[in-house]
Amino acid sequence: MLQGKLITLDEFTIQETRKFPQATGELSSLLRDIALAGKVINNKVRTAGLSDVLGKQGSSNIQGEQQEKLDVIADETLIHVLKNSADCAGIASEENDDHVSYEDTFSANSKYVVLFDPLDGSSNIDVNASIGTIFSIYRRVSELGKTCTEADFLQPGNKLMAAGYIIYGSSTMMVYATKLSVNGFTLDPSIGEFCLSHPNIKVPENGKIYSLNQGNTNKYSEGMKAYLNYCMESNKEEGRPYSHRYIGSMVGDLHRTLIKGGIFIYPADKSSPNGKLRLQYECNPMSFIVEAAGGLGHTGEERVMDVVPTELHQRVPIYIGSKNMVNKALEIIKEKEVVG
Ligand code: P6P
């Protein structure tokens, strides 16, 4: 409720479109389609314990990861909804080896493509921790009227038109960013609508939470170990009363970081030279959102969104969150690696 007025996602996107006379409303329509898929997935997630959708699917994806049944359900839901969208030419998903071009004429004349992780953090499903759907929206670079091509899905994050996530947590929220702002919508189950609850989200420049899997410490670089020690030597006098929080679900950890500030890190390590998280449907969309809110997403070498993708499922290290915390982490890591 804002000043007592309920603003639904549909109303908000229509209002946003009206700010740009040249806008056609196609991007807004696509966002509403993604929200519809989110509501369907939400229903499956919320009753997972009561229906036979918990546990492993008995198959694995291109990442070599065991698929949860809900991974496949979420993936199929998004593919189906976006195929029927008037504004999506094709999709790429964590759960599918290659991109999917929609062959019908309607889709071939659509100007956007969508990449997604249909259910990020799904290893947390069985323990009822927050999980989520992450999505990226690009304007296609291939010729309108023809089926989309791989090039449409290998664009850098700095070409994103919009990105967002749906978090299935203590409440279900959809957060999405355009270049102009980041806004959060909470699902009101009584009316089945996402309603504006977090307008114009800004990530605090500083925070008190660092988020990483400390179990990997022995695999970290000396620079990363130096930064971890800096965080653990929490020093109230120096204004560093840091706390460690780690859900093990990127959407959950990043949503907290976006709202409260802090830093989330999944670095390269001895067993994962490029880190674990995927560039095109985890790191780029989250970096787009966090940077639109005033934060920073970095690989340790460059901004995440400046990486030119070469493979659909490539991974990158990521340091993301409050701008001052990310820059401090990069400074300590680089200093240690120069000094050695
Ligand atoms: P680890 C979930 O499997 C995921 O892809 C992200 O959501 C999460 O941030 C990360 O992996 C957790 O990885 O190695 O700490 O379990």
Side-chain angles (χ1 to χ4, degrees):
M1 278 293 189
L2 288 172
Q3 291 88 35
K5 180 168 177 2
L6 206 61
I7 299 176
T8 66
L9 175 71
D10 288 21
E11 288 170 327
F12 182 86
T13 54
I14 291 165
Q15 285 171 11
E16 288 295 288
T17 303
R18 285 187 183 143
K19 291 178 184 174
F20 306 97
Q22 76 283 5
T24 61
E26 289 165 278
L27 182 59
S28 296
S29 172
L30 183 52
L31 285 163
R32 293 196 294 271
D33 292 329
I34 293 170
L36 170 62
K39 291 180 201 173
V40 173
I41 295 166
N42 177 64
N43 281 345
K44 299 288 186 186
V45 168
R46 295 287 170 218
T47 56
L50 301 174
S51 51
D52 181 26
V53 294
L54 286 177
K56 300 296 183 192
Q57 175 72 6
S59 53
S60 58
N61 60 21
I62 190 172
Q63 330 288 341
E65 294 166 342
Q66 282 286 312
Q67 289 177 303
E68 303 282 342
K69 289 176 183 173
L70 272 174
D71 281 327
V72 177
I73 291 169
D75 188 49
E76 291 172 350
T77 299
L78 280 155
I79 291 172
H80 175 73
V81 167
L82 291 171
K83 179 173 173 45
N84 293 326
S85 163
D87 305 296
C88 182
I91 64 96
S93 164
E94 180 191 60
E95 302 302 332
N96 299 68
D97 298 1
D98 299 313
H99 70 270
V100 175
S101 302
Y102 296 137
E103 303 295 333
D104 60 285
T105 310
F106 221 40
S107 300
N109 282 293
S110 300
K111 63 185 178 188
Y112 295 110
V113 294
V114 180
L115 295 90
F116 51 79
D117 180 353
L119 206 56
D120 173 72
S122 51
S123 54
N124 285 300
I125 290 173
D126 294 354
V127 297
N128 210 18
S130 293
I131 54 181
T133 298
I134 309 173
F135 62 89
S136 293
I137 302 176
Y138 288 95
R139 188 188 294 273
R140 61 187 293 187
V141 294
S142 57
E143 189 180 339
L144 271 182
K146 296 189 174 171
T147 52
C148 54
T149 65
E150 186 183 45
D152 293 321
F153 300 95
L154 292 181
Q155 299 180 65
N158 55 37
K159 297 290 187 190
L160 278 164
M161 294 298 292
Y165 56 83
I166 297 154
I167 181 169
Y168 313 102
S170 47
S171 66
T172 297
M173 278 188 69
M174 178 164 168
V175 174
Y176 83 86
T178 61
K179 290 184 175 65
L180 297 176
S181 67
V182 185
N183 293 280
F185 301 81
T186 298
L187 183 63
D188 179 341
S190 69
I191 58 172
E193 291 285 357
F194 282 104
C195 300
L196 185 63
S197 54
H198 297 68
N200 198 23
I201 298 172
K202 294 295 179 193
V203 60
E205 286 200 346
N206 291 294
K208 297 176 180 173
I209 295 171
Y210 68 100
S211 183
L212 47 78
N213 183 340
Q214 288 198 198
N216 293 333
T217 302
N218 65 331
K219 298 189 284 186
Y220 285 166
S221 69
E222 290 309 309
M224 189 54 221
K225 286 177 183 173
Y227 178 66
L228 186 51
N229 287 330
Y230 169 85
C231 291
M232 291 194 293
E233 288 157 8
S234 177
N235 179 324
K236 291 183 176 24
E237 287 66 50
E238 288 180 23
R240 273 191 289 116
Y242 284 172
S243 294
H244 177 244
R245 295 284 185 275
Y246 190 69
I247 301 170
S249 172
M250 189 185 199
V251 174
D253 284 314
L254 262 290
H255 185 65
R256 181 198 59 245
T257 303
L258 187 70
I259 301 296
K260 288 183 175 278
I263 185 170
F264 172 87
I265 301 175
Y266 210 108
D269 63 38
K270 289 173 187 156
S271 57
S272 310
N274 295 311
K276 174 182 182 181
L277 300 178
R278 273 66 54 150
L279 173 64
Q280 285 304 82
Y281 39 80
E282 291 173 326
C283 298
N284 259 333
M286 286 304 191
S287 295
F288 183 84
I289 296 163
V290 167
E291 292 204 2
L296 175 60
H298 209 277
T299 67
E301 297 301 323
E302 58 188 314
R303 281 175 69 234
V304 168
M305 291 197 285
D306 291 337
V307 175
V308 178
T310 52
E311 292 165 30
L312 188 55
H313 299 288
Q314 76 184 74
R315 303 168 194 264
V316 291
I318 187 165
Y319 304 75
I320 185 171
S322 297
K323 185 179 289 189
N324 294 348
M325 291 184 80
V326 173
N327 284 324
K328 185 65 179 174
L330 298 174
E331 175 195 317
I332 291 173
I333 291 166
K334 282 206 183 308
E335 185 182 300
K336 183 69 176 176
E337 281 160 7
V338 165
V339 168

